[in-house]
Protein backbone atom coordinates (compact mmCIF):
# COMPACT_ATOMS: atom_id res chain seq x y z
CA UNK A 1 0.00 0.00 0.00
CA UNK A 2 1.32 3.40 -1.01
CA UNK A 3 1.42 5.96 1.83
CA UNK A 4 0.79 9.53 0.62
CA UNK A 5 3.78 11.88 1.14
CA UNK A 6 3.66 13.80 4.40
CA UNK A 7 1.24 11.31 5.98
CA UNK A 8 3.78 9.95 8.48
CA UNK A 9 4.80 13.48 9.52
CA UNK A 10 1.17 14.49 10.15
CA UNK A 11 0.61 11.34 12.27
CA UNK A 12 3.82 12.10 14.21
CA UNK A 13 2.81 15.74 14.87
CA UNK A 14 -0.74 14.91 16.01
CA UNK A 15 0.48 11.85 17.94
CA UNK A 16 3.19 13.92 19.63
CA UNK A 17 0.65 16.57 20.72
CA UNK A 18 -1.73 13.95 22.16
CA UNK A 19 1.06 12.02 23.91
CA UNK A 20 2.35 15.34 25.28
CA UNK A 21 -1.11 15.96 26.73
CA UNK A 22 -0.95 12.55 28.45
CA UNK A 23 2.57 13.27 29.73
CA UNK A 24 1.16 16.41 31.38
CA UNK A 25 -1.25 14.19 33.31
CA UNK A 26 1.68 11.97 34.39
CA UNK A 27 3.73 15.03 35.42
CA UNK A 28 0.81 16.41 37.42
CA UNK A 29 -0.28 13.15 39.10
CA UNK A 30 2.81 10.94 39.57
CA UNK A 31 4.34 13.07 42.36
CA UNK A 32 1.03 12.91 44.27
CA UNK A 33 0.75 9.14 43.70
CA UNK A 34 -2.74 9.40 42.21
CA UNK A 35 -3.96 7.28 39.29
CA UNK A 36 -2.97 8.55 35.85
CA UNK A 37 -6.14 7.05 34.34
CA UNK A 38 -8.97 8.07 36.71
CA UNK A 39 -10.59 10.48 37.32
CA UNK A 40 -10.91 12.55 34.14
CA UNK A 41 -8.99 15.85 33.95
CA UNK A 42 -10.16 18.61 36.27
CA UNK A 43 -9.10 22.20 36.81
CA UNK A 44 -6.56 22.01 39.67
CA UNK A 45 -8.02 25.25 41.05
CA UNK A 46 -11.83 25.01 40.92
CA UNK A 47 -12.14 21.24 40.33
CA UNK A 48 -14.49 21.65 37.36
CA UNK A 49 -14.31 18.64 35.02
CA UNK A 50 -12.70 19.57 31.69
CA UNK A 51 -14.49 18.81 28.44
CA UNK A 52 -12.79 17.82 25.20
CA UNK A 53 -12.85 21.48 24.15
CA UNK A 54 -10.61 22.37 27.12
CA UNK A 55 -8.23 19.49 26.40
CA UNK A 56 -7.05 20.13 22.84
CA UNK A 57 -3.23 20.27 23.03
CA UNK A 58 -1.75 23.80 22.75
CA UNK A 59 -4.89 25.13 20.96
CA UNK A 60 -7.09 25.17 24.09
CA UNK A 61 -4.43 27.07 26.02
CA UNK A 62 -4.12 29.70 23.28
CA UNK A 63 -7.92 29.92 22.76
CA UNK A 64 -8.60 30.31 26.52
CA UNK A 65 -5.65 32.76 26.79
CA UNK A 66 -4.05 30.58 29.46
CA UNK A 67 -6.98 30.67 31.90
CA UNK A 68 -9.52 28.16 33.19
CA UNK A 69 -12.84 28.52 31.29
CA UNK A 70 -14.82 28.14 34.53
CA UNK A 71 -12.93 30.01 37.27
CA UNK A 72 -10.50 32.19 35.29
CA UNK A 73 -7.45 31.11 37.28
CA UNK A 74 -4.25 31.02 35.13
CA UNK A 75 -3.30 27.58 33.77
CA UNK A 76 0.37 26.62 34.13
CA UNK A 77 2.33 27.42 30.97
CA UNK A 78 3.91 24.00 31.49
CA UNK A 79 0.94 22.38 29.73
CA UNK A 80 1.37 23.89 26.23
CA UNK A 81 5.19 23.78 26.59
CA UNK A 82 5.22 20.02 27.32
CA UNK A 83 2.76 19.40 24.45
CA UNK A 84 4.78 21.41 21.94
CA UNK A 85 8.06 19.94 23.20
CA UNK A 86 6.79 16.36 22.90
CA UNK A 87 5.55 17.11 19.39
CA UNK A 88 8.97 18.50 18.40
CA UNK A 89 10.78 15.56 19.98
CA UNK A 90 8.57 13.09 18.07
CA UNK A 91 9.34 14.78 14.73
CA UNK A 92 13.11 14.84 15.44
CA UNK A 93 13.00 11.11 16.25
CA UNK A 94 11.29 10.44 12.92
CA UNK A 95 14.05 12.28 11.06
CA UNK A 96 16.77 10.34 12.94
CA UNK A 97 15.34 6.82 13.16
CA UNK A 98 12.73 6.62 10.37
CA UNK A 99 10.26 3.73 10.26
CA UNK A 100 12.23 1.27 12.43
CA UNK A 101 11.47 -0.72 15.61
CA UNK A 102 14.10 1.44 17.37
CA UNK A 103 11.92 4.52 16.67
CA UNK A 104 9.18 3.16 18.97
CA UNK A 105 11.69 2.29 21.73
CA UNK A 106 13.41 5.66 21.63
CA UNK A 107 10.07 7.51 21.55
CA UNK A 108 9.02 5.70 24.73
CA UNK A 109 12.41 6.52 26.27
CA UNK A 110 12.02 10.17 25.26
CA UNK A 111 8.58 10.33 26.90
CA UNK A 112 10.06 9.02 30.16
CA UNK A 113 12.83 11.65 29.96
CA UNK A 114 10.32 14.48 29.37
CA UNK A 115 8.28 13.39 32.42
CA UNK A 116 11.41 13.10 34.61
CA UNK A 117 12.64 16.48 33.30
CA UNK A 118 9.44 18.27 34.33
CA UNK A 119 8.87 16.47 37.66
CA UNK A 120 12.45 17.02 38.82
CA UNK A 121 12.28 20.70 37.82
CA UNK A 122 9.05 21.22 39.75
CA UNK A 123 9.37 18.86 42.74
CA UNK A 124 13.08 17.84 42.85
CA UNK A 125 12.17 14.16 42.79
CA UNK A 126 12.64 11.39 40.23
CA UNK A 127 9.85 8.86 40.87
CA UNK A 128 10.92 5.22 41.26
CA UNK A 129 7.81 4.14 39.33
CA UNK A 130 9.56 5.41 36.17
CA UNK A 131 13.26 4.77 36.81
CA UNK A 132 13.17 1.26 38.34
CA UNK A 133 10.92 -0.41 35.72
CA UNK A 134 12.84 1.64 33.14
CA UNK A 135 16.07 -0.19 33.99
CA UNK A 136 14.37 -3.59 33.48
CA UNK A 137 12.48 -2.63 30.33
CA UNK A 138 15.60 -1.10 28.74
CA UNK A 139 17.58 -4.28 29.37
CA UNK A 140 14.88 -6.64 28.04
CA UNK A 141 14.53 -4.60 24.84
CA UNK A 142 18.32 -4.65 24.40
CA UNK A 143 18.08 -8.44 23.94
CA UNK A 144 16.53 -7.72 20.52
CA UNK A 145 17.67 -4.22 19.53
CA UNK A 146 20.69 -1.93 19.90
CA UNK A 147 22.72 -1.43 22.06
CA UNK A 148 22.54 -5.22 22.77
CA UNK A 149 22.45 -6.93 26.19
CA UNK A 150 26.19 -6.68 27.00
CA UNK A 151 26.35 -2.95 26.27
CA UNK A 152 23.08 -2.43 28.14
CA UNK A 153 24.29 -4.27 31.26
CA UNK A 154 27.58 -2.34 31.15
CA UNK A 155 25.53 0.86 30.80
CA UNK A 156 23.43 0.02 33.87
CA UNK A 157 26.55 -0.81 35.91
CA UNK A 158 28.53 2.26 34.83
CA UNK A 159 25.59 4.70 34.82
CA UNK A 160 24.40 3.64 38.25
CA UNK A 161 27.89 2.98 39.64
CA UNK A 162 29.39 6.27 38.46
CA UNK A 163 26.84 8.50 40.15
CA UNK A 164 26.68 6.25 43.20
CA UNK A 165 30.45 6.61 43.66
CA UNK A 166 30.25 10.41 43.30
CA UNK A 167 27.34 10.64 45.74
CA UNK A 168 29.06 8.35 48.24
CA UNK A 169 32.46 10.05 47.89
CA UNK A 170 30.99 13.51 48.24
CA UNK A 171 29.06 12.41 51.31
CA UNK A 172 32.19 11.02 53.01
CA UNK A 173 34.17 14.16 52.10
CA UNK A 174 31.71 16.91 52.92
CA UNK A 175 29.03 15.10 54.96
CA UNK A 176 26.34 16.56 52.71
CA UNK A 177 24.30 14.75 50.12
CA UNK A 178 25.48 15.86 46.67
CA UNK A 179 22.56 14.19 44.95
CA UNK A 180 19.71 11.88 45.68
CA UNK A 181 19.71 8.25 44.66
CA UNK A 182 16.97 9.12 42.19
CA UNK A 183 19.74 10.44 39.91
CA UNK A 184 21.65 7.16 40.31
CA UNK A 185 18.62 5.07 39.27
CA UNK A 186 17.85 7.47 36.42
CA UNK A 187 21.35 7.23 34.91
CA UNK A 188 21.19 3.43 35.29
CA UNK A 189 17.97 3.55 33.24
CA UNK A 190 19.68 5.71 30.60
CA UNK A 191 22.48 3.11 30.49
CA UNK A 192 19.97 0.28 30.07
CA UNK A 193 18.36 1.93 27.02
CA UNK A 194 21.35 3.62 25.37
CA UNK A 195 24.30 1.39 26.37
CA UNK A 196 27.61 2.14 28.01
CA UNK A 197 29.08 4.53 25.39
CA UNK A 198 26.08 6.83 25.29
CA UNK A 199 25.68 6.79 29.07
CA UNK A 200 29.21 8.23 29.35
CA UNK A 201 28.27 10.84 26.73
CA UNK A 202 25.07 11.64 28.67
CA UNK A 203 27.11 12.21 31.83
CA UNK A 204 29.56 14.52 30.02
CA UNK A 205 26.74 16.43 28.25
CA UNK A 206 24.84 16.87 31.52
CA UNK A 207 27.91 18.57 33.04
CA UNK A 208 28.15 20.90 30.02
CA UNK A 209 24.45 21.75 30.24
CA UNK A 210 24.78 22.26 33.99
CA UNK A 211 27.64 24.69 33.43
CA UNK A 212 25.75 26.64 30.78
CA UNK A 213 22.54 26.82 32.85
CA UNK A 214 24.42 27.89 35.99
CA UNK A 215 26.37 30.57 34.10
CA UNK A 216 23.19 31.89 32.49
CA UNK A 217 21.33 32.00 35.81
CA UNK A 218 24.18 33.78 37.61
CA UNK A 219 24.75 36.19 34.69
CA UNK A 220 21.08 37.21 34.65
CA UNK A 221 21.17 37.47 38.46
CA UNK A 222 18.40 34.92 38.85
CA UNK A 223 20.55 32.83 41.12
CA UNK A 224 23.74 32.86 43.14
CA UNK A 225 26.39 30.14 43.16
CA UNK A 226 24.60 28.14 45.85
CA UNK A 227 21.31 27.80 43.93
CA UNK A 228 20.66 24.22 42.94
CA UNK A 229 19.29 23.33 39.54
CA UNK A 230 17.85 19.80 39.78
CA UNK A 231 20.40 17.43 38.27
CA UNK A 232 17.77 15.04 36.89
CA UNK A 233 16.45 17.87 34.69
CA UNK A 234 19.84 18.32 33.03
CA UNK A 235 20.36 14.56 32.89
CA UNK A 236 17.07 14.19 31.00
CA UNK A 237 18.03 16.85 28.45
CA UNK A 238 21.47 15.26 28.01
CA UNK A 239 19.98 11.77 27.58
CA UNK A 240 17.60 13.02 24.89
CA UNK A 241 20.48 14.57 22.94
CA UNK A 242 22.56 11.38 23.38
CA UNK A 243 19.67 9.18 22.23
CA UNK A 244 19.12 11.25 19.08
CA UNK A 245 22.61 12.39 18.09
CA UNK A 246 25.00 10.48 20.38
CA UNK A 247 26.37 8.08 17.76
CA UNK A 248 27.12 10.99 15.41
CA UNK A 249 28.68 13.06 18.22
CA UNK A 250 30.92 10.15 19.27
CA UNK A 251 32.01 9.47 15.67
CA UNK A 252 32.84 13.17 15.20
CA UNK A 253 34.76 13.29 18.50
CA UNK A 254 36.79 10.19 17.68
CA UNK A 255 37.61 11.56 14.20
CA UNK A 256 39.17 14.68 15.78
CA UNK A 257 41.53 12.67 17.97
ZN1 LIG B 1 -10.95 26.38 37.21
Amino acid sequence: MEVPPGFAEIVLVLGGLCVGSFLNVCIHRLPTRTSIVFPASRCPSCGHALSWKDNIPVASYVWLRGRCRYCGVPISVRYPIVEALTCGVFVLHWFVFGPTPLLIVRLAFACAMIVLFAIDLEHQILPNVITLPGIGVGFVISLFLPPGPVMSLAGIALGGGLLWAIAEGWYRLRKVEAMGFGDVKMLAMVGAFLGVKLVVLTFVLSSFIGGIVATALVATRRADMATKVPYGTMLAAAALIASLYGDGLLAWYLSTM
Side-chain angles (χ1 to χ4, degrees):
M1 194 183 81
E2 194 70 16
V3 180
F7 181 74
E9 285 79 1
I10 291 170
V11 170
L12 259 292
V13 167
L14 295 179
L17 286 171
C18 294
V19 171
S21 185
F22 173 69
L23 297 186
N24 268 319
V25 177
C26 298
I27 292 163
H28 182 62
R29 294 189 186 177
L30 280 181
T32 59
R33 296 171 185 269
T34 44
S35 164
I36 54 171
V37 187
F38 298 107
S41 309
R42 287 171 184 283
C43 166
S45 183
C46 67
H48 198 294
L50 302 180
S51 72
W52 65 269
K53 281 183 296 184
D54 309 317
N55 263 330
I56 305 166
V58 183
S60 289
Y61 185 88
V62 175
W63 173 248
L64 296 169
R65 293 194 187 82
R67 287 173 184 280
C68 171
R69 186 195 296 275
Y70 308 99
C71 67
V73 161
I75 304 164
S76 169
V77 73
R78 189 197 75 216
Y79 287 90
I81 288 177
V82 166
E83 285 155 1
L85 179 76
T86 308
C87 176
V89 163
F90 268 46
V91 172
L92 286 180
H93 276 73
W94 173 254
F95 289 145
V96 171
F97 296 104
T100 59
L102 198 58
L103 173 72
I104 308 295
V105 177
R106 293 299 177 86
L107 280 179
F109 177 74
C111 289
M113 290 303 119
I114 292 171
V115 171
L116 290 173
F117 178 98
I119 292 181
D120 201 32
L121 190 62
E122 213 165 308
H123 302 276
Q124 288 79 55
I125 52 168
L126 296 162
N128 283 339
V129 320
I130 299 175
T131 53
L132 288 181
I135 297 170
V137 169
F139 175 69
V140 170
I141 291 171
S142 80
L143 296 171
F144 310 99
L145 289 170
V150 176
M151 285 300 185
S152 174
L153 268 186
I156 296 169
L158 189 76
L162 190 66
L163 280 194
W164 182 82
I166 293 172
E168 190 66 20
W170 196 254
Y171 182 72
R172 296 228 173 128
L173 208 66
R174 304 282 298 272
K175 298 285 176 216
V176 286
E177 278 188 44
M179 54 185 93
F181 282 91
D183 301 311
V184 175
K185 285 171 267 186
M186 181 177 171
L187 199 59
M189 174 188 173
V190 172
F193 272 89
L194 303 186
V196 67
K197 285 185 214 161
L198 293 185
V199 89
V200 173
L201 181 71
T202 300
F203 183 71
V204 173
L205 284 175
S206 72
S207 314
F208 271 119
I209 296 172
I212 294 168
V213 170
T215 310
L217 286 178
V218 171
T220 55
R221 296 173 195 276
R222 285 163 194 265
D224 57 38
M225 296 309 278
T227 306
K228 278 192 194 165
V229 178
Y231 184 55
T233 298
M234 292 176 290
L235 212 47
L240 266 181
I241 296 170
S243 171
L244 280 166
Y245 305 111
D247 290 325
L249 279 172
L250 283 180
W252 168 79
Y253 179 72
L254 292 175
S255 74
T256 61
M257 298 239 289

